[in-house]
Every structure is written in structure tokens, then in C-alpha cells.
Amino acid sequence: MAEEFGEGGHDTSNISWVLLIYTMMLSSFILLWSKLGTNRGYKRIFVTGIAVFTFSSLAIGVCGFKP
């Protein structure tokens, strides 16, 4: 990942910030979706997540996005 962003062999502080923010966002979303699952039902939240993932993957595939 560092080489992809042009940081390979250089200052790694930028990469550590990216990983820190990713970890914080992931843990926040886990808490959020867990609470929603408790209130609305785990199966409903799971199916909604799968539907959003499938739709977004299809949209990215159709538009031809190349990272």
C-alpha cells in the first residue's frame, strides 16, 4: 500500500495516519451497526448490508472505475 501511494522507503507517517483513521472508522461502524441490529433485527441489517454492497459493486463495475 505504501508503494502504491508513493511512500515506499520514505516517511511512513502518512501511511500510519491512514491505517489509524481506517481502524477508528471501522470500530465506529461496528458499534453503530451492532446497535441497529439489536434494535431492528440482525437479519434485516445483514440483508440490507449485502444489498448495498451488491448495488455499489455493480455500479462500480458498470461505470468502469479503475483505481
Side-chain angles (χ1 to χ4, degrees):
M1 186 169 74
E3 290 176 7
E4 189 70 29
F5 288 121
E7 293 290 333
H10 300 289
D11 183 27
T12 58
S13 64
N14 292 336
I15 299 301
S16 64
W17 276 106
V18 170
L19 294 176
L20 176 68
I21 292 170
Y22 174 79
T23 304
M24 290 176 65
M25 292 300 296
L26 183 62
S27 62
S28 298
F29 281 123
I30 287 173
L31 292 172
L32 172 70
W33 291 113
S34 175
K35 184 66 174 175
L36 284 173
T38 301
N39 290 340
R40 306 212 180 203
Y42 293 111
K43 184 176 180 180
R44 184 175 180 184
I45 297 298
F46 179 74
V47 170
T48 302
I50 294 294
V52 168
F53 174 78
T54 302
F55 176 73
S56 62
S57 295
L58 179 65
I60 289 171
V62 167
C63 76
F65 178 73
K66 295 179 184 174

